Short mmCIF file of all heavy atoms in Angstrom, two decimals:
data_model
loop_
_atom_site.label_atom_id
_atom_site.label_comp_id
_atom_site.label_asym_id
_atom_site.label_seq_id
_atom_site.Cartn_x
_atom_site.Cartn_y
_atom_site.Cartn_z
N THR B 385 9.90 106.17 107.23
CA THR B 385 9.09 106.85 106.24
C THR B 385 9.68 106.47 104.87
O THR B 385 10.88 106.28 104.75
CB THR B 385 9.20 108.38 106.40
OG1 THR B 385 9.15 108.65 107.80
CG2 THR B 385 8.04 109.05 105.71
N ASN B 386 8.85 106.41 103.92
CA ASN B 386 9.36 106.07 102.61
C ASN B 386 9.96 107.31 101.97
O ASN B 386 9.44 107.90 101.07
CB ASN B 386 8.28 105.47 101.71
CG ASN B 386 7.09 106.38 101.62
OD1 ASN B 386 6.98 107.29 102.42
ND2 ASN B 386 6.24 106.12 100.65
N ILE B 387 11.12 107.64 102.47
CA ILE B 387 11.76 108.87 102.04
C ILE B 387 12.46 108.69 100.70
O ILE B 387 13.04 109.62 100.16
CB ILE B 387 12.77 109.29 103.14
CG1 ILE B 387 13.22 110.72 102.95
CG2 ILE B 387 13.91 108.33 103.21
CD1 ILE B 387 14.03 111.22 104.08
N GLY B 388 12.38 107.46 100.18
CA GLY B 388 12.95 107.21 98.86
C GLY B 388 14.45 107.40 98.87
O GLY B 388 15.16 106.89 99.74
N SER B 389 14.95 108.11 97.89
CA SER B 389 16.41 108.27 97.74
C SER B 389 16.91 109.48 98.52
O SER B 389 18.08 109.84 98.35
CB SER B 389 16.77 108.42 96.28
OG SER B 389 16.12 107.45 95.50
N ALA B 390 16.07 110.06 99.33
CA ALA B 390 16.47 111.34 99.94
C ALA B 390 17.71 111.17 100.80
O ALA B 390 18.61 112.03 100.76
CB ALA B 390 15.34 111.89 100.78
N ALA B 391 17.78 110.09 101.58
CA ALA B 391 18.93 109.94 102.45
C ALA B 391 20.22 109.76 101.63
O ALA B 391 21.25 110.38 101.93
CB ALA B 391 18.73 108.74 103.39
N ARG B 392 20.14 108.95 100.60
CA ARG B 392 21.32 108.74 99.75
C ARG B 392 21.67 110.05 99.05
O ARG B 392 22.86 110.36 98.86
CB ARG B 392 21.02 107.68 98.69
CG ARG B 392 21.08 106.26 99.19
CD ARG B 392 21.08 105.29 98.00
NE ARG B 392 22.19 104.37 98.03
CZ ARG B 392 22.23 103.29 98.76
NH1 ARG B 392 21.22 102.98 99.56
NH2 ARG B 392 23.28 102.47 98.74
N TYR B 393 20.66 110.75 98.65
CA TYR B 393 20.92 112.06 98.00
C TYR B 393 21.64 112.99 98.98
O TYR B 393 22.62 113.62 98.65
CB TYR B 393 19.61 112.69 97.51
CG TYR B 393 19.79 114.01 96.81
CD1 TYR B 393 20.01 114.07 95.44
CD2 TYR B 393 19.74 115.21 97.51
CE1 TYR B 393 20.19 115.29 94.81
CE2 TYR B 393 19.91 116.42 96.88
CZ TYR B 393 20.13 116.45 95.53
OH TYR B 393 20.31 117.67 94.91
N LEU B 394 21.06 113.07 100.17
CA LEU B 394 21.65 113.93 101.20
C LEU B 394 23.12 113.55 101.43
O LEU B 394 23.99 114.42 101.51
CB LEU B 394 20.88 113.77 102.51
CG LEU B 394 20.43 115.00 103.26
CD1 LEU B 394 20.25 114.71 104.72
CD2 LEU B 394 21.34 116.20 103.06
N ALA B 395 23.34 112.25 101.54
CA ALA B 395 24.71 111.78 101.79
C ALA B 395 25.66 112.26 100.69
O ALA B 395 26.85 112.49 100.94
CB ALA B 395 24.74 110.26 101.88
N ARG B 396 25.13 112.43 99.50
CA ARG B 396 25.98 112.82 98.39
C ARG B 396 26.25 114.32 98.38
O ARG B 396 27.32 114.77 98.01
CB ARG B 396 25.33 112.41 97.07
CG ARG B 396 25.45 110.88 96.88
CD ARG B 396 26.15 110.57 95.57
NE ARG B 396 27.31 109.74 95.72
CZ ARG B 396 27.38 108.44 95.45
NH1 ARG B 396 26.29 107.80 95.06
NH2 ARG B 396 28.50 107.80 95.55
N VAL B 397 25.26 115.12 98.74
CA VAL B 397 25.40 116.56 98.60
C VAL B 397 25.90 117.25 99.88
O VAL B 397 26.26 118.42 99.83
CB VAL B 397 24.07 117.23 98.21
CG1 VAL B 397 23.60 116.70 96.86
CG2 VAL B 397 23.03 117.03 99.26
N LEU B 398 25.93 116.50 100.97
CA LEU B 398 26.28 117.13 102.25
C LEU B 398 27.69 117.70 102.23
O LEU B 398 27.99 118.68 102.91
CB LEU B 398 26.16 116.07 103.36
CG LEU B 398 25.40 116.35 104.65
CD1 LEU B 398 24.37 117.42 104.47
CD2 LEU B 398 24.75 115.07 105.11
N ALA B 399 28.56 117.09 101.45
CA ALA B 399 29.93 117.56 101.42
C ALA B 399 30.19 118.63 100.32
O ALA B 399 31.20 119.30 100.36
CB ALA B 399 30.88 116.38 101.23
N GLU B 400 29.29 118.71 99.37
CA GLU B 400 29.42 119.77 98.37
C GLU B 400 28.91 121.06 99.02
O GLU B 400 28.24 121.04 100.03
CB GLU B 400 28.53 119.49 97.16
CG GLU B 400 28.51 118.06 96.71
CD GLU B 400 29.40 117.79 95.52
OE1 GLU B 400 29.47 118.67 94.67
OE2 GLU B 400 30.05 116.74 95.49
N ASP B 401 29.24 122.23 98.43
CA ASP B 401 28.60 123.35 99.08
C ASP B 401 27.38 123.81 98.30
O ASP B 401 27.41 124.07 97.10
CB ASP B 401 29.54 124.50 99.41
CG ASP B 401 30.52 124.80 98.31
OD1 ASP B 401 31.53 124.12 98.25
OD2 ASP B 401 30.24 125.72 97.51
N SER B 402 26.32 123.87 99.04
CA SER B 402 25.03 124.25 98.50
C SER B 402 24.31 125.05 99.57
O SER B 402 24.22 124.65 100.71
CB SER B 402 24.23 122.99 98.17
OG SER B 402 22.87 123.18 98.41
N HIS B 403 23.88 126.20 99.15
CA HIS B 403 23.20 127.08 100.15
C HIS B 403 21.97 126.40 100.72
O HIS B 403 21.70 126.52 101.91
CB HIS B 403 22.83 128.39 99.49
CG HIS B 403 22.11 129.33 100.40
ND1 HIS B 403 20.75 129.57 100.31
CD2 HIS B 403 22.55 130.04 101.46
CE1 HIS B 403 20.41 130.42 101.25
NE2 HIS B 403 21.48 130.72 101.97
N THR B 404 21.24 125.70 99.86
CA THR B 404 20.05 125.01 100.33
C THR B 404 20.38 123.98 101.39
O THR B 404 19.70 123.87 102.40
CB THR B 404 19.36 124.31 99.15
OG1 THR B 404 19.11 125.28 98.12
CG2 THR B 404 18.05 123.70 99.57
N VAL B 405 21.45 123.21 101.14
CA VAL B 405 21.82 122.18 102.10
C VAL B 405 22.31 122.81 103.39
O VAL B 405 22.02 122.33 104.49
CB VAL B 405 22.89 121.25 101.47
CG1 VAL B 405 23.44 120.32 102.53
CG2 VAL B 405 22.29 120.45 100.33
N GLU B 406 23.06 123.91 103.26
CA GLU B 406 23.49 124.61 104.48
C GLU B 406 22.30 125.01 105.33
O GLU B 406 22.27 124.81 106.55
CB GLU B 406 24.30 125.85 104.11
CG GLU B 406 25.71 125.57 103.66
CD GLU B 406 26.52 126.84 103.46
OE1 GLU B 406 25.95 127.93 103.64
OE2 GLU B 406 27.71 126.73 103.09
N THR B 407 21.31 125.56 104.67
CA THR B 407 20.13 125.98 105.42
C THR B 407 19.43 124.78 106.07
O THR B 407 18.97 124.86 107.20
CB THR B 407 19.15 126.71 104.48
OG1 THR B 407 19.85 127.74 103.78
CG2 THR B 407 18.00 127.31 105.26
N LEU B 408 19.39 123.70 105.32
CA LEU B 408 18.77 122.50 105.87
C LEU B 408 19.52 122.00 107.12
O LEU B 408 18.93 121.68 108.14
CB LEU B 408 18.73 121.38 104.82
CG LEU B 408 18.21 120.04 105.30
CD1 LEU B 408 16.74 120.12 105.72
CD2 LEU B 408 18.38 118.96 104.24
N VAL B 409 20.83 121.99 107.01
CA VAL B 409 21.65 121.56 108.14
C VAL B 409 21.39 122.48 109.33
O VAL B 409 21.23 122.03 110.47
CB VAL B 409 23.12 121.52 107.76
CG1 VAL B 409 24.00 121.33 108.98
CG2 VAL B 409 23.39 120.41 106.75
N ASP B 410 21.38 123.78 109.05
CA ASP B 410 21.12 124.73 110.13
C ASP B 410 19.79 124.43 110.79
O ASP B 410 19.68 124.45 112.03
CB ASP B 410 21.12 126.16 109.56
CG ASP B 410 22.49 126.60 109.11
OD1 ASP B 410 23.43 125.82 109.31
OD2 ASP B 410 22.59 127.69 108.53
N ASP B 411 18.79 124.14 109.99
CA ASP B 411 17.45 123.85 110.56
C ASP B 411 17.50 122.59 111.40
O ASP B 411 16.91 122.53 112.48
CB ASP B 411 16.44 123.70 109.43
CG ASP B 411 16.07 125.03 108.81
OD1 ASP B 411 16.57 126.05 109.29
OD2 ASP B 411 15.28 125.03 107.86
N LEU B 412 18.15 121.57 110.88
CA LEU B 412 18.22 120.31 111.65
C LEU B 412 18.86 120.55 112.99
O LEU B 412 18.43 120.00 114.02
CB LEU B 412 19.04 119.27 110.86
CG LEU B 412 18.40 118.70 109.60
CD1 LEU B 412 19.37 117.78 108.85
CD2 LEU B 412 17.12 117.93 109.93
N ILE B 413 19.90 121.40 113.00
CA ILE B 413 20.58 121.69 114.25
C ILE B 413 19.69 122.52 115.19
O ILE B 413 19.60 122.25 116.39
CB ILE B 413 21.91 122.42 113.98
CG1 ILE B 413 22.88 121.43 113.34
CG2 ILE B 413 22.50 122.97 115.27
CD1 ILE B 413 24.14 122.07 112.80
N ASP B 414 19.00 123.50 114.62
CA ASP B 414 18.09 124.29 115.43
C ASP B 414 17.05 123.39 116.10
O ASP B 414 16.78 123.51 117.30
CB ASP B 414 17.36 125.33 114.55
CG ASP B 414 18.28 126.46 114.17
OD1 ASP B 414 19.37 126.61 114.78
OD2 ASP B 414 17.94 127.22 113.26
#
Side-chain angles (χ1 to χ4, degrees):
Chain B
T385 320
N386 54 346
I387 194 173
S389 313
R392 282 192 126 81
Y393 181 89
L394 230 205
R396 286 237 124 103
V397 299
L398 230 23
E400 320 258 324
D401 44 276
S402 145
H403 178 253
T404 306
V405 171
E406 283 186 359
T407 309
L408 175 64
V409 170
D410 292 355
D411 286 358
L412 290 175
I413 290 170
D414 286 346

